């Protein structure tokens, strides 16, 4: 018994043992994250830092490069094609944002279905297209716009409106509009998923109370649904801004930025400067500028979300 008493006395108190155990767990977690940060550093952070560094150089890969300071950035100020590409981005962003009315309408109709099996079928049909590769969608629409064998011109010919047939993606007057309508009717996609999930999280009692008060469907959307989805809508706007700044894949496949730079966007301008012009330092300066613009939007949204969270916490208190 004396031995047991001595051994018990030598043991640290229970709170100390718990702290030591917790410390060992956290050390294990940090060690497990080390490979993740190593991979991110090699494949994400290093290329980004490398691009920023060489944006101040007349970068010649595999040869001697010359330090030029801010010359690449000063040149960017006079690059009309570069700034026109942002005008195209603004048009794309506004158009895509306005088209959210279609997924909103689909989600509002779907949320009112009382038959759960039918709602599940329709919901699945609207979400499944998100799994389709983007290259497939782009190539299908490229075929639609083909001036010789395209679906649109063939339909116009069939209904006697052959005079309206044209080279939709090859005409500077219609090329950007052609890109805007890729993915019509714009229902299936991330906006629908976010809006529908937000509507599902709204208590049904609110819908029932609005119906008892004689609030119509359209008024309910503006008075209840949209205000209650405000935080999700802000996330959707942020994702739309970042996605638009990175837009370029569809334009590259269908128009390549042409004709006559009518559909050029920042990503395509960077690719053209780097791979066609061989001006790698200038391309690095353009990509760094695009990165800083994206980062600025991210910081603004981060602080906005933090403010919303603090306001909600204050209201709860």
């Amino acid at each position: 018994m004396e031995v047991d008493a001595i051994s018990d006395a030598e043991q640290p108190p229970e709170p100390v043992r718990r702290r030591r155990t917790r410390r060992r767990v956290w050390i294990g977690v940090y060690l497990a994250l080390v490979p993740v940060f190593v991979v991110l550093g090699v494949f994400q952070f290093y290329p980004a830092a490398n691009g920023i560094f060489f944006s101040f150089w007349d970068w010649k890969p595999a040869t001697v490069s010359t330090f030029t300071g801010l010359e690449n950035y000063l040149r960017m100020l006079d690059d009309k094609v570069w700034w026109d590409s942002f005008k195209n981005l603004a048009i794309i962003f506004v158009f895509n944002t306005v088209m959210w009315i279609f997924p909103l309408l689909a989600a509002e109709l779907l949320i009112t279905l009382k038959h759960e099996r039918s709602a599940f079928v329709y919901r699945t049909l609207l979400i499944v297209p998100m799994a389709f590769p983007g290259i497939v969608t782009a190539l299908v629409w490229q075929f639609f716009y083909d001036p010789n064998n395209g679906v649109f011109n063939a339909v116009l010919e069939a209904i006697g409106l052959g005079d309206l047939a044209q080279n939709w993606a090859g005409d500077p007057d219609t090329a950007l509009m052609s890109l805007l309508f890729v993915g019509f009717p714009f229902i299936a996609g991330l906006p629908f998923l976010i809006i529908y999930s937000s509507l599902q999280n709204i208590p049904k009692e609110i819908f029932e109370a609005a119906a008892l008060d004689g609030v119509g469907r359209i008024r309910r959307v503006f008075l209840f649904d949209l205000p209650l989805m405000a935080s999700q809508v802000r996330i959707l706007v942020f994702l739309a801004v970042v996605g638009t700044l990175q837009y370029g894949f569809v334009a590259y496949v269908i128009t390549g930025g042409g004709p006559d730079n009518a559909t050029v966007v920042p990503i395509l301008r960077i690719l053209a400067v780097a791979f066609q012009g061989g001006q790698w330092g200038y391309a690095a300066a353009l990509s760094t500028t695009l990165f800083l613009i994206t980062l600025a939007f991210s910081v603004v949204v981060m602080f906005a979300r933090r403010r919303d969270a603090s306001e909600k916490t204050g209201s709860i208190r």
Side-chain angles (χ1 to χ4, degrees):
M1 293 180 62
E2 292 180 359
V3 174
D4 293 340
I6 294 174
S7 61
D8 291 339
E10 292 177 350
Q11 291 291 332
E14 182 65 22
V16 175
R17 289 202 300 269
R18 283 201 298 267
R19 283 197 297 270
R20 290 178 179 176
T21 303
R22 193 180 301 116
R23 189 180 299 113
R24 285 196 295 269
V25 171
W26 281 112
I27 291 174
V29 172
Y30 289 135
L31 292 176
L33 289 174
V34 168
V36 176
F37 285 107
V38 170
V39 173
L40 286 175
V42 172
F43 294 101
Q44 296 289 337
F45 299 136
Y46 172 74
N50 195 57
I52 295 173
F53 174 78
F54 280 109
S55 68
F56 300 98
W57 294 69
D58 181 15
W59 186 15
K60 305 293 185 183
T63 61
V64 178
S65 301
T66 305
F67 180 75
T68 58
L70 297 175
E71 183 178 331
N72 289 324
Y73 292 94
L74 294 176
R75 177 185 172 187
M76 178 184 64
L77 298 178
D78 297 326
D79 191 340
K80 185 177 182 300
V81 177
W82 171 250
W83 298 114
D84 285 343
S85 69
F86 282 96
K87 295 179 183 178
N88 292 336
L89 276 192
I91 295 173
I92 293 170
F93 174 76
V94 172
F95 181 85
N96 289 339
T97 304
V98 172
M99 290 302 105
W100 287 350
I101 188 173
F102 291 103
L104 174 62
L105 178 62
E108 289 286 352
L109 293 175
L110 191 58
I111 202 70
T112 58
L113 287 179
K114 298 185 181 299
H115 198 277
E116 294 186 2
R117 180 173 298 179
S118 299
F120 173 79
V121 172
Y122 289 126
R123 181 171 65 249
T124 303
L125 292 175
L126 291 173
I127 294 176
V128 164
M130 294 179 61
F132 295 164
I135 183 64
V136 174
T137 302
L139 290 176
V140 168
W141 279 85
Q142 185 183 43
F143 171 69
F144 287 167
Y145 290 136
D146 188 273
N148 300 316
N149 302 310
V151 174
F152 293 148
N153 286 346
V155 171
L156 291 174
E157 292 284 352
I159 62 178
L161 298 176
D163 294 338
L164 299 178
Q166 56 185 295
N167 187 2
W168 298 98
D171 189 337
D173 295 329
T174 59
L176 184 59
M177 180 190 67
S178 301
L179 292 183
L180 294 178
F181 278 91
V182 171
F184 182 85
F186 317 112
I187 294 177
L190 185 61
F192 167 78
L193 187 61
I194 292 179
I195 293 173
Y196 182 73
S197 300
S198 303
L199 289 175
Q200 281 186 314
N201 291 329
I202 297 177
K204 294 183 179 180
E205 291 78 6
I206 295 179
F207 296 150
E208 296 172 355
L212 291 175
D213 291 339
V215 178
R217 179 70 59 82
I218 297 179
R219 287 185 60 201
R220 193 199 74 192
V221 171
F222 291 98
L223 294 177
F224 295 96
D225 297 0
L226 291 178
L228 292 172
M229 292 191 299
S231 60
Q232 288 80 5
V233 171
R234 278 193 288 270
I235 294 175
L236 194 57
V237 171
F238 166 68
L239 294 175
V241 171
V242 174
T244 303
L245 288 172
Q246 298 175 348
Y247 178 87
F249 176 75
V250 174
Y252 178 78
V253 173
I254 298 179
T255 65
D260 194 23
N261 293 323
T263 60
V264 68
V265 290
I267 293 294
L268 296 186
R269 178 57 177 165
I270 294 171
L271 293 176
V273 168
F275 291 96
Q276 297 177 14
Q279 304 170 40
W280 295 93
Y282 183 46
L286 296 181
S287 62
T288 299
T289 303
L290 184 62
F291 163 73
L292 293 176
I293 293 174
T294 306
L295 180 63
F297 277 108
S298 303
V299 171
V300 169
V301 172
M302 180 183 67
F303 279 105
R305 286 180 56 80
R306 181 176 296 180
R307 185 186 62 183
D308 291 343
S310 61
E311 290 177 355
K312 290 181 180 179
T313 303
S315 62
I316 291 174
R317 291 178 181 177

